[in-house]
Amino acid sequence: MTILQAIKEAAHFLEKKTALSKEECKIEADYIFMHILKTCKSKLYTILDEKISETKTEKINAILQLRLKKPLSQILNKHLFYNDEFYINDKVLIPRPETESFIDEILRQGDLFYKEKNRCVLLDAGTGSGCVGITIANERSDWQVIMSDISMDAIKVAKRNVLLSKYNNVSVICSDWLKPFAYDSLDIIFSNPPYISTNDLQIDKSVLDNEPSIALFSTEDGLGDIKKIIRNAKKTLSHSGMLFLENGCSQSLTVKSILESEDFTDIRVHLDYNKCGRFTSSKNKNG
Ligand SMILES: C[S@@+](CC[C@H](N)C(=O)[O-])C[C@H]1O[C@@H](n2cnc3c(N)ncnc32)[C@H](O)[C@@H]1O
């Protein structure tokens, strides 16, 4: 069988056996073949007429069977985020494209801050795999990036991913949100905290079964951790320091009003590519 025929068969198998869309099945099939054939997408397309060996077919079939139980990123232990392939296991959230789409906005606003103050200390609070902190550190060599998480399992993954960092500007610590940080010590806080309500019945079964609950659920209708971060950000952020928060689709107006009640200024809700209010950015007028 040629590689092209085998990819088509794999995509067809995923279409039949999983809830993925046709497009997602095609992307995953390509990704599995790139992994097994140790090649990139552009090279894969140049060898489509070549025959695939039996050993490789067996390996691909084994991945397809596993895919019925687990997300592909957990099977392959890797996930592409922005420009890098991050190590992933079942102890961390699989990085989401929504989060990736917010990186450029953080860089844009952070650049304005850096231009004015000539420094930028950024905390990625609840870093998980470290995908956000490491990406930002790689994009801005002059910024100092701290990544924190309460889960030691996540810290181990983030530390492993620090190997992807290009400059010596990232550190990792274990902490409960902002507790160890001194007054006025941070210029930017980014957090994608757990924000799903513990009563949410609509959560995707694959997410529920495979991703760590500490990364997903929060009390107070999903807003418990967001509230803690906002209250403490006020103290730890420097003057005009910025807070970037990810939240659930239906939560952005409530997050905005919590920010208002805690005296944050320049509050903006940012939409994701589904036109859903997924992020807020705001400034600390104190500090
Ligand atoms: C939704 S995941 C985000 C992971 C990563 N930042 C991303 O966007 O892919 C939330 C992360 O917050 C961490 N977390 C949960 N409670 C925490 C706490 N009290 N203090 C610090 N981190 C916490 C979890 O372990 C998890 O890694």
Side-chain angles (χ1 to χ4, degrees):
M1 185 185 295
T2 64
I3 292 174
L4 179 62
Q5 285 166 329
I7 293 178
K8 280 188 179 166
E9 264 193 15
H12 186 61
F13 174 89
L14 292 172
E15 260 180 68
K16 261 197 339 205
K17 304 268 185 177
T18 69
L20 297 173
S21 69
K22 195 172 178 168
E23 189 51 32
E24 286 166 334
C25 293
K26 168 90 185 72
I27 292 169
E28 289 210 356
D30 280 356
Y31 209 59
I32 295 170
F33 277 74
M34 286 189 275
H35 175 76
I36 292 297
L37 301 173
K38 296 190 176 39
T39 191
C40 61
K41 199 166 196 164
S42 54
K43 283 222 180 91
L44 180 68
Y45 289 158
T46 65
I47 55 168
L48 291 175
D49 292 335
E50 289 180 18
K51 294 258 181 292
I52 185 151
S53 72
E54 247 176 57
T55 336
K56 294 207 162 113
T57 308
E58 274 166 24
K59 284 186 183 162
I60 285 160
N61 287 341
I63 292 176
L64 288 171
Q65 286 304 324
L66 268 179
R67 180 63 187 90
L68 306 183
K69 299 187 201 110
K70 289 203 230 183
L72 189 60
S73 308
Q74 287 181 355
I75 300 169
L76 305 183
N77 288 122
K78 60 185 179 184
H79 188 94
L80 188 66
F81 182 88
Y82 211 82
N83 288 327
D84 288 296
E85 207 155 63
F86 286 81
Y87 171 77
I88 291 296
N89 64 21
D90 59 1
K91 307 294 185 204
V92 293
L93 189 91
I94 299 169
R96 301 295 201 264
E98 292 87 340
T99 311
E100 192 176 14
S101 73
F102 199 42
I103 297 279
D104 289 338
E105 181 63 23
I106 302 172
L107 294 173
R108 194 186 67 75
Q109 293 201 40
D111 283 342
L112 297 175
F113 182 94
Y114 187 85
K115 208 169 157 191
E116 198 186 320
K117 310 260 173 160
N118 204 28
R119 65 161 226 183
C120 185
V121 180
L122 178 144
L123 172 71
D124 172 13
T127 194
S129 62
C131 58
V132 173
I134 291 166
T135 299
I136 289 176
N138 280 345
E139 292 297 312
R140 294 294 181 268
S141 59
D142 291 340
W143 298 10
Q144 188 196 331
V145 174
I146 306 164
M147 308 194 294
S148 69
D149 208 290
I150 201 167
S151 150
M152 271 316 290
D153 288 326
I155 294 282
K156 282 183 198 153
V157 174
K159 280 197 164 163
R160 185 169 170 163
N161 283 323
V162 167
L163 294 174
L164 294 169
S165 67
K166 294 194 236 161
Y167 314 103
N168 201 10
N169 59 342
V170 197
S171 53
V172 189
I173 67 159
C174 187
S175 82
D176 182 2
W177 296 130
L178 309 179
K179 275 191 187 156
F181 294 95
Y183 183 82
D184 211 5
S185 62
L186 301 166
D187 299 317
I188 297 183
I189 298 171
F190 164 80
S191 188
N192 173 17
Y195 53 67
I196 301 172
S197 163
T198 36
N199 306 318
D200 191 334
L201 300 174
Q202 289 183 329
I203 181 165
D204 187 283
K205 186 172 173 345
S206 167
V207 173
L208 188 62
D209 290 349
N210 295 294
E211 299 192 65
S213 46
I214 192 170
L216 303 173
F217 297 105
S218 192
T219 54
E220 300 184 52
D221 287 334
L223 292 162
D225 288 289
I226 288 181
K227 285 181 184 167
K228 279 187 203 163
I229 295 168
I230 293 176
R231 280 186 203 124
N232 290 303
K234 216 163 100 168
K235 299 173 208 149
T236 48
L237 277 173
S238 57
H239 182 66
S240 298
M242 283 172 290
L243 176 61
F244 295 93
L245 286 173
E246 185 164 339
N247 54 256
C249 250
S250 58
Q251 293 170 332
S252 53
L253 292 181
T254 317
V255 175
K256 186 170 181 264
S257 68
I258 301 168
L259 286 163
E260 279 162 357
S261 70
E262 294 292 340
D263 275 353
F264 278 81
T265 60
D266 299 48
I267 305 168
R268 284 174 55 203
V269 172
H270 301 262
L271 306 182
D272 65 14
Y273 48 79
N274 287 321
K275 304 268 175 281
C276 139
R278 175 70 67 182
F279 307 95
T280 55
S281 61
S282 56
K283 272 191 182 171
N284 183 29
K285 74 171 187 192
N286 305 310

